[in-house]
Amino acid sequence: MPEYSIGIDLGGTNLRAAAIDRSGHMLEKISGATGFAEGKDAVLTDIVGAISKLRDKYGADGLAGIGVGVPGFIRMKEGIITGSNNLPYLEHVPIRDEISGRLGARVILENDANAAALGESWLGAGRDVDDLVLLTLGTGIGGGIIANGRILRGAVGMAGEFGHITAVPGGNPCGCGNQGCLEKHASATAVTAMARLMQLGEDLSAKDVFDLAKRDDVVGEKARAIWRVVGENLGGAIAALINTFNFPLYLLSGGVLPAWEYFEPHMTRVARERSFTFRATLNETRIAKATLGNEAGLYGAAYLPWIEK
Ligand SMILES: [Zn+2]
């Protein structure tokens, strides 16, 4: 009788692994740096090592499976990663089968933002609904879609790329080849860039710009203008998502969340203006903060073995 699963969150700079039981109780978490610079074999060895350590401690008999969240697009059928900026050497490697083969256990690969959305749906802000969208607002903007309690992946795992929705036609150029992508106009990186353009400082974090927004002077006014722009751009994108999905919940997570009080009113206003679905369902539709922070992906990865056959 399986009692727990193991979730892995492979970030840009570190590796975290956790043993989590069926009810969502975290038994143990391991985190640390990994040999990213040393390439594929070093990273695979670190992943397998972390899993083995937890499995040895909690027992192979009770292990339901292993979920691995990674940045990049996942081709589920083949168990490979494509399009990963952070881990280029893992692209097109049969990473699922390599990990699975070394451990003799079932492994499920998943995109990290999809895993975070699943985590919020299992144990976080989305516990009470079956359908939600999560937008992760960090260096870029990513996200995940949970429909009927399951991750909506699209044909080849590329669904939920909200960061590359056009927010500003003809806007800032983006690495994806488009111009005016949402992440160029509403991510934490975009906040830093706007602060620089407005001569508030060279490398301010989103948190710094949040702190400046509290000031009762011209600097504060400029900082609040940045959050207004961020809010309006997010509001436009969320309006489109509400019209598309008619889901009850749209969650935001990541580095811009501390400034919620400054961007949320603008976001909600624009979402109302632009989405008739939102206006018609104000009591049934919520835009809210995610609650699991950067643990969401770890929980979501660990949940995969319970729901994926
Ligand atoms: Zn883009």
Side-chain angles (χ1 to χ4, degrees):
M1 184 66 179
E3 290 155 2
Y4 74 103
S5 59
I6 293 176
I8 299 278
D9 186 26
L10 192 60
T13 53
N14 69 341
L15 167 73
R16 296 183 301 156
I20 297 173
D21 74 14
R22 183 66 180 89
S23 64
H25 175 64
M26 194 181 280
L27 304 170
E28 185 170 348
K29 182 170 76 170
I30 302 173
S31 55
T34 178
F36 284 109
E38 287 145 61
K40 175 194 126 188
D41 286 320
V43 173
L44 285 175
T45 300
D46 286 345
I47 293 173
V48 169
I51 295 166
S52 298
K53 198 170 159 192
L54 291 169
R55 187 175 60 172
D56 289 349
K57 183 159 174 188
Y58 295 97
D61 291 346
L63 180 60
I66 297 150
V68 180
V70 292
F73 304 124
I74 312 298
R75 288 188 176 253
M76 289 298 286
K77 234 188 292 170
E78 298 93 337
I80 60 169
I81 308 172
T82 65
S84 181
N85 294 330
N86 294 327
L87 306 163
Y89 47 77
L90 287 185
E91 288 184 22
H92 303 289
V93 174
I95 176 173
R96 178 195 63 203
D97 295 345
E98 288 222 15
I99 299 171
S100 177
R102 290 192 202 189
L103 288 160
R106 192 163 79 99
V107 171
I108 301 158
L109 273 192
E110 187 51 83
N111 167 269
D112 53 0
N114 285 352
L118 186 64
E120 290 290 343
S121 148
W122 182 28
L123 298 166
R127 279 189 314 280
D128 301 329
V129 298
D130 293 325
D131 307 293
L132 66 83
V133 163
L134 170 72
L135 287 106
T136 59
L137 309 164
T139 318
I141 293 181
I145 304 161
I146 303 297
N148 257 324
R150 302 284 298 271
I151 295 168
L152 193 153
R153 299 188 174 91
V156 292
M158 294 179 76
E161 280 302 303
F162 307 124
H164 302 285
I165 291 174
T166 302
V168 180
N172 296 333
C174 179
C176 76
N178 186 26
Q179 268 182 273
C181 286
L182 183 63
E183 73 174 34
K184 293 294 157 202
H185 296 272
S187 62
T189 311
V191 168
T192 302
M194 282 187 257
R196 186 181 303 122
L197 285 170
M198 295 180 80
Q199 298 181 328
L200 293 177
E202 271 310 299
D203 272 305
L204 300 182
S205 66
K207 173 74 169 58
D208 295 333
V209 179
F210 163 58
D211 288 335
L212 291 180
K214 298 172 194 162
R215 284 171 51 164
D216 191 18
D217 59 8
V218 65
V219 167
E221 235 168 76
K222 285 184 181 182
R224 289 192 294 278
I226 292 173
W227 292 114
R228 175 174 55 76
V229 168
V230 166
E232 289 174 349
N233 287 327
L234 288 173
I238 290 172
L241 294 173
I242 295 172
N243 285 356
T244 305
F245 291 112
N246 181 210
F247 283 173
L249 187 60
Y250 302 81
L251 294 175
L252 275 60
S253 73
V256 309
L257 270 205
W260 179 263
E261 63 185 284
Y262 290 107
F263 71 79
E264 185 278 335
H266 303 291
M267 174 176 74
T268 301
R269 169 176 53 80
V270 169
R272 281 188 197 210
E273 284 167 7
R274 299 209 194 153
S275 170
F276 73 97
T277 309
F278 193 18
R279 293 195 300 277
T281 61
L282 283 176
N283 292 326
E284 292 99 348
T285 307
R286 285 190 306 129
I287 308 172
K289 296 183 207 179
T291 54
L292 297 178
N294 60 10
E295 304 283 83
L298 210 46
Y299 282 109
Y303 194 44
L304 286 165
W306 299 111
I307 59 164
E308 297 292 336
K309 287 295 156 249

